[in-house]
Amino acid sequence: MRSLHGRLIAMVGTSVMILFAISGIAVCWLIEASLWTEFDSGLRDRLQSLSQLVEQDHNGLIFEWHEGSGVATPIDIENEVLSVWKDGQVIHRFPNQVAALDQFSDRQQGIVSVQLSSAKPGRAALLTFQPRVEPEDIEDSGRMDIPSAIVTMAFARPTVAIDTVVRRLRTLLAAVGCVGLFATLAATWGAVNLGLRPLDEAATKIASISSESLTERIDDGGGQPRELRPLVRTINQLLTRLQSTLERERAFSADVAHELRTPLAGLRAKLDVSLSRPRSVSEHEQTIRQCLAITLQTATVVESLLATTHAKQRMATATPNDLRQILTEIVANYSRTVTQRNLNMHWDIPEGTIIPGHTETINILFRNLIDNAVAYADTGGTIRIAVQRECESHVLMIAISNPVAVLPVSDNSKVFERFWRADRSRNATGKHSGLGLSLCKRLVESLGGTIEAFYEDQQFMIQLAFITRPKDGLQ
């Protein structure tokens, strides 16, 4: 059952049905037990009274209800049966026209179920006793030792009336249980509807929120049930994240359009000028080279965008990488630029420093960091690379710093935003699209590390931190 409403009603209905069944059976059993106890108690009392009317003298047993001495008829002739046994033989039955009850030789007293001669079910009380002996009977006989006799008496009544009462009781309890069950289910249906109304209202509110109304929030205050508030708060947090993501993507789209518009406009202008009048082969060749440079600039932007998009998808198996060797190869590729800008490179990287991760990812990461430091360091400055290892906490700290006289940003975290540039005057070079540090942030996060930016005393520093383990190969 997929409906929460239906599940609640089904569970409550099942619970109530089980409760009603158990309660009904218990009540019925208690009432029936009480009825049968009263019935059996009446049998025993009546049998005890009848046993007092049995007397013994020297001639045998005397049943006083036969003497005509004013003793009332001992039983209801139409409904009750009395039998007396002595020495395994029926010596008396009453009424005389009915068959004697079966002898219960293995029992001396108690209550047993019997089948009366009228084919009606009944219950009988049994009592084994010694008849009383009157003092005058001893005097008349002249004997002091009248032989004692042991007799068994059974007194039975039909159970038709009480069986009828029990059947009516069961029917009544079943009817009351069904009515109570349906009434409870109806009340439960209404209560569940009322209880789930806040959930339905919240669902309606959520359904009404679109991409154009992500600023709206669901009320998670006192008007909501306590159980629903965590869900509402979670949905509101999700809406906040969606709103932030949507705004970020909209800003990203605008930035992409702006970044691509500039090289495309330059490319169009070059082609328009080239076609404005007849030109020589050398002039066309020059125009083509300029267009190629602009195309390469655009390609750089597109590749950087793809790299930032897929940075978190790099899930290749981590391998140990020699950090000093990687940085040596990367710095060698920038030797010409370092010489032209009169920069100095100084690093403090211990031999055998290992950084775990996907080799390509680590190469892209440090190539972008070195490229950023070489491009934006003040001419004649020193680029420093320092590595610090904390063996106890297994943390590898890497810091890359370069001198910058003026950094036009008050918040250091902005340097990781896409398309942010420290120096807008260098846009025309076509080498920096403002995506390098944004890509680095994504790459570091994909490696399970952290990256921070600091600017102090005209020094811009990027600091990386990776948590490693001995099995990662950190020496």
Side-chain angles (χ1 to χ4, degrees):
M1 188 177 295
R2 298 179 180 274
S3 169
L4 179 60
H5 183 275
R7 288 182 183 180
L8 290 175
I9 293 179
M11 288 189 292
V12 173
T14 302
S15 302
V16 171
M17 183 171 61
I18 294 174
L19 179 62
F20 269 56
I22 295 175
S23 301
I25 292 173
V27 170
C28 185
W29 181 82
L30 290 173
I31 295 177
E32 288 184 22
S34 178
L35 290 175
W36 287 116
T37 299
E38 291 294 330
F39 185 86
D40 295 341
S41 178
L43 283 177
R44 292 190 184 94
D45 292 343
R46 187 60 173 154
L47 181 60
Q48 191 68 34
S49 299
L50 290 172
S51 68
Q52 300 300 317
L53 298 178
V54 180
E55 180 182 348
Q56 181 182 0
D57 59 11
H58 59 280
N59 293 321
L61 295 177
I62 300 172
F63 301 98
E64 293 186 356
W65 54 81
H66 282 168
E67 294 181 349
S69 57
V71 178
T73 301
I75 62 175
D76 182 354
I77 297 177
E78 295 182 357
N79 295 317
E80 300 174 340
V81 177
L82 176 67
S83 295
V84 181
W85 295 272
K86 179 183 178 183
D87 299 328
Q89 300 294 325
V90 177
I91 61 175
H92 180 69
R93 65 176 182 269
F94 194 83
N96 296 324
Q97 66 272 18
V98 300
L101 295 171
D102 293 334
Q103 183 179 2
F104 304 94
S105 58
D106 58 336
R107 302 189 62 173
Q108 294 184 348
Q109 59 185 1
I111 302 296
V112 294
S113 297
V114 297
Q115 188 74 22
L116 302 178
S117 59
S118 60
K120 295 180 181 179
R123 288 168 75 87
L126 303 177
L127 179 64
T128 299
F129 64 97
Q130 184 177 348
R132 62 185 174 84
V133 179
E134 296 292 342
E136 57 268 21
D137 292 336
I138 298 176
E139 294 175 359
D140 292 343
S141 65
R143 297 174 58 184
M144 298 299 295
D145 55 343
I146 296 177
S148 60
I150 302 298
V151 299
T152 299
M153 181 182 292
F155 175 70
R157 286 175 177 169
T159 58
V160 176
I162 195 169
D163 286 337
T164 302
V165 172
V166 169
R167 284 195 299 270
R168 289 179 179 176
L169 174 64
R170 291 176 179 176
T171 303
L172 179 62
L173 287 176
V176 171
C178 291
V179 172
L181 176 62
F182 285 114
T184 302
L185 288 177
T188 301
W189 184 84
V192 169
N193 280 339
L194 183 62
L196 293 180
R197 185 175 298 173
L199 186 60
D200 294 335
E201 293 175 353
T204 302
K205 178 66 175 179
I206 294 172
S208 66
I209 298 176
S210 64
S211 59
E212 303 301 327
S213 57
L214 286 177
T215 55
E216 298 182 13
R217 296 293 181 269
I218 306 170
D219 178 28
D220 60 351
Q224 295 288 358
R226 183 179 58 186
E227 295 78 6
L228 191 57
R229 291 176 192 172
L231 176 62
V232 172
R233 284 195 294 267
T234 302
I235 292 175
N236 284 337
Q237 293 171 2
L238 177 60
L239 290 174
T240 301
R241 291 196 297 269
L242 287 175
Q243 180 185 1
S244 176
T245 301
L246 183 60
E247 291 175 351
R248 190 164 54 247
E249 293 305 318
R250 286 173 176 171
F252 174 71
S253 299
D255 290 339
V256 169
H258 175 75
E259 290 297 323
L260 294 180
R261 182 177 59 184
T262 300
L264 291 176
L267 185 62
R268 179 178 178 179
K270 295 293 182 182
L271 294 175
D272 287 341
V273 171
S274 178
L275 296 174
S276 63
R277 62 179 177 81
R279 297 183 180 274
S280 64
V281 174
S282 59
E283 290 176 329
H284 281 300
E285 182 179 353
Q286 182 180 2
T287 301
I288 292 173
R289 291 184 183 279
Q290 293 173 346
C291 291
L292 178 60
I294 295 174
T295 303
L296 292 176
Q297 176 188 0
T298 307
T300 300
V301 174
V302 174
E303 289 174 1
S304 299
L305 288 174
L306 290 174
T308 58
T309 302
H310 298 293
K312 287 194 175 182
Q313 299 178 3
R314 301 176 184 272
M315 301 298 292
T317 304
T319 58
N321 299 276
D322 190 325
L323 181 60
R324 187 181 182 90
Q325 180 181 351
I326 290 175
L327 288 176
T328 300
E329 295 175 355
I330 293 175
V331 171
N333 294 330
Y334 287 89
S335 59
R336 183 177 179 181
T337 306
V338 169
T339 302
Q340 289 176 349
R341 303 198 61 221
N342 194 27
L343 298 175
N344 297 312
M345 298 293 296
H346 178 273
W347 57 45
D348 182 13
I349 305 176
E351 290 286 348
T353 300
I354 301 299
I355 179 171
H358 185 218
T359 303
E360 181 185 356
T361 301
I362 293 176
N363 273 283
I364 295 174
L365 168 63
F366 285 102
R367 187 166 57 248
N368 276 274
L369 291 175
I370 297 299
D371 181 81
N372 184 80
V374 171
Y376 293 105
D378 290 342
T379 302
T382 301
I383 299 175
R384 301 181 183 276
I385 305 174
V387 174
Q388 182 180 358
R389 296 175 298 185
E390 298 180 6
C391 296
E392 293 184 0
S393 57
H394 302 290
V395 174
L396 178 65
M397 306 289 294
I398 304 172
I400 302 176
S401 61
N402 59 271
V404 179
V406 178
L407 185 67
V409 60
S410 58
D411 186 358
N412 293 328
S413 63
K414 288 185 177 180
V415 300
F416 298 111
E417 295 179 1
R418 286 176 292 195
F419 300 113
W420 184 88
R421 295 184 182 87
D423 187 357
R424 290 287 176 177
S425 64
R426 295 179 182 171
N427 291 355
T429 62
K431 296 182 178 180
H432 298 277
S433 59
L435 294 169
L437 292 182
S438 175
L439 173 60
C440 290
K441 181 176 177 61
R442 288 177 176 258
L443 293 175
V444 170
E445 291 174 352
S446 71
L447 293 170
T450 59
I451 182 170
E452 295 179 290
F454 303 94
Y455 181 68
E456 185 176 357
D457 296 333
Q458 297 183 345
Q459 288 286 326
F460 178 72
M461 176 186 295
I462 295 293
Q463 182 172 286
L464 312 176
F466 298 97
I467 298 178
T468 60
R469 295 290 183 267
K471 66 179 181 179
D472 296 328
L474 182 62
Q475 301 296 325

